[in-house]
């Protein structure tokens, strides 16, 4: 089953490109009630379907043509009813057209400003150095007050089980799992938590409450192991995506700072 995009932005982009192609003499895909559907519009939709995994075939091209005909029929009926003159419809069309231009601009910026291999390796080394050489498997109980944390520590010293006491934790993600936080490197936790965690011996718990912005923690270290960082090739796509996004955000911020806004 062929699934077609319903995004108005795609249609507008196809229309803008298609008008130029048609003006240059390209044969229309079809003519509906005297209105030509530009061939470039069909090509945009066809390429969109290919990008989503549809195989190149005459069946796909026929289906794209039929979809565009249906859309043109509906668009003509909407125009007859004057819907294109309604202010809210015009505003939506303006926003959609703007979104297409923004996407085209960002794509052009990315193409003109690729992330170098040197930048990727530098980012990889930076991330790798922050990971450290050890990976920890802690569990915790998070409570509101220091007195609550001290009471939990006293119960642990008296022999009560950590996973049972964890049920009163404020952390919904771990309270039903005995407070288990899984394998993580210290950089994934807030500083007070990570500093206390790395000082613990395997199987021990913190004997004084650990204060963070979230409340008071009682931490137990279940295990520790050597950390092997992923290979550069393995994380390269994610690093490239992150650096590219940072570059885009900086470019947008620079443009915004230069803009004359009143």
């Amino acid at each position: 089953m062929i699934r077609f995009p319903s995004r108005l932005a795609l249609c507008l982009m196809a229309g803008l490109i298609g008008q130029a192609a048609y003006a240059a003499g390209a044969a229309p895909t079809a003519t509906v009630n005297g209105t030509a559907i530009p061939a470039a519009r069909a090509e945009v939709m066809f390429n969109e379907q290919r990008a989503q995994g549809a195989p190149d075939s005459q069946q796909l091209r026929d289906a794209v043509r039929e979809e565009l005909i249906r859309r043109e029929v509906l668009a003509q009926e909407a125009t007859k009813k004057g819907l294109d003159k309604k202010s809210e419809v015009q505003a939506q069309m303006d926003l959609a057209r703007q979104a297409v231009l923004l996407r085209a601009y960002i794509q052009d910026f990315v193409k003109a400003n690729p992330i170098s291999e040197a930048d990727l390796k530098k980012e990889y080394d930076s991330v790798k150095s922050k990971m450290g050489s050890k990976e920890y498997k802690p569990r915790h109980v998070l409570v509101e007050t220091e007195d609550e944390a001290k009471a939990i520590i006293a119960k642990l010293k008296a022999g009560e089980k950590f996973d049972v006491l964890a049920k009163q934790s404020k952390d919904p993600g771990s309270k039903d799992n005995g407070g288990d936080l899984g394998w993580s490197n210290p950089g994934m936790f807030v500083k007070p938590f990570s500093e206390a965690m790395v000082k613990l011996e395997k199987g021990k718990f913190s004997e004084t409450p650990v204060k963070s912005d979230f409340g008071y923690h009682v931490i137990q270290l279940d295990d520790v192991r050597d950390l092997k960082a992923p290979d550069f090739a393995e994380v390269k796509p994610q690093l490239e995506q992150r650096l590219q996004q940072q570059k885009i955000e900086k470019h947008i911020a620079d443009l915004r700072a230069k803009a004359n806004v009143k």
Side-chain angles (χ1 to χ4, degrees):
M1 180 179 178
I2 298 172
R3 301 176 64 183
F4 292 96
S6 59
R7 289 173 294 175
L8 182 58
L10 177 60
C11 298
L12 287 173
M13 179 176 68
L16 291 171
I17 297 172
Q19 288 169 12
Y22 184 61
T29 295
T31 301
V32 180
N33 298 324
T35 299
I37 300 175
R41 189 179 300 177
E43 198 63 23
V44 169
M45 183 176 283
F46 176 78
N47 290 335
E48 179 77 8
Q49 292 298 308
R50 289 291 311 282
Q52 294 178 12
D56 187 348
S57 66
Q58 186 59 46
Q59 180 185 9
L60 177 60
R61 292 188 178 275
D62 291 343
V64 166
R65 181 177 184 274
E66 179 58 26
E67 176 68 13
L68 289 173
I69 291 171
R70 289 170 178 264
R71 292 188 180 200
E72 182 60 36
V73 169
L74 288 171
Q76 289 181 17
E77 290 301 310
T79 302
K80 286 179 185 178
K81 292 178 69 68
L83 298 179
D84 60 321
K85 301 296 193 297
K86 297 183 70 172
S87 60
E88 62 267 32
V89 174
Q90 290 181 345
Q92 291 177 39
M93 293 175 68
D94 288 343
L95 286 172
R97 180 179 182 277
Q98 187 181 63
V100 173
L101 290 174
L102 294 178
R103 182 170 67 174
Y105 181 82
I106 294 300
Q107 289 174 342
D108 181 72
F109 177 81
V110 169
K111 184 177 180 180
N113 297 272
I115 303 298
S116 70
E117 192 78 3
D119 286 340
L120 288 170
K121 289 182 177 177
K122 181 179 178 181
E123 180 70 7
Y124 173 76
D125 291 338
S126 175
V127 172
K128 186 177 178 181
S129 66
K130 292 176 183 177
M131 291 176 64
S133 60
K134 300 290 183 181
E135 195 172 23
Y136 298 80
K137 192 174 188 295
R139 62 178 68 228
H140 79 145
V141 182
L142 175 63
V143 291
E144 194 73 41
T145 68
E146 185 176 12
D147 286 341
E148 289 178 286
K150 287 180 177 178
I152 289 171
I153 292 170
K155 290 178 181 179
L156 287 171
K157 289 181 177 180
E160 293 196 35
K161 298 296 185 181
F162 198 100
D163 56 350
V164 174
L165 294 171
K167 294 184 182 299
Q168 59 188 283
S169 177
K170 284 174 36 181
D171 180 5
S174 67
K175 63 181 296 183
D176 294 328
N177 194 31
D180 189 5
L181 296 173
W183 285 102
S184 309
N185 67 73
M188 296 179 66
F189 300 109
V190 292
K191 191 172 181 180
F193 188 103
S194 62
E195 287 181 344
M197 177 185 69
V198 299
K199 293 176 182 178
L200 289 172
E201 295 180 19
K202 179 179 174 180
K204 302 293 185 179
F205 57 84
S206 53
E207 297 193 5
T208 56
V210 179
K211 187 179 185 303
S212 77
D213 291 339
F214 301 102
Y216 289 85
H217 307 260
V218 178
I219 309 168
Q220 177 174 294
L221 181 61
D222 286 352
D223 205 353
V224 59
R225 66 188 181 189
D226 291 334
L227 174 63
K228 182 183 181 301
D231 294 335
F232 173 68
E234 184 180 345
V235 296
K236 182 178 177 180
Q238 293 92 326
L239 293 175
E240 185 171 17
Q241 185 179 33
R242 181 164 73 179
L243 289 180
Q244 193 68 74
Q245 187 61 39
Q246 290 174 357
K247 184 174 286 191
I248 291 170
E249 292 297 334
K250 182 181 183 305
H251 179 63
I252 294 173
D254 290 343
L255 291 175
R256 176 65 178 85
K258 295 175 185 176
N260 182 11
V261 181
K262 296 181 180 179

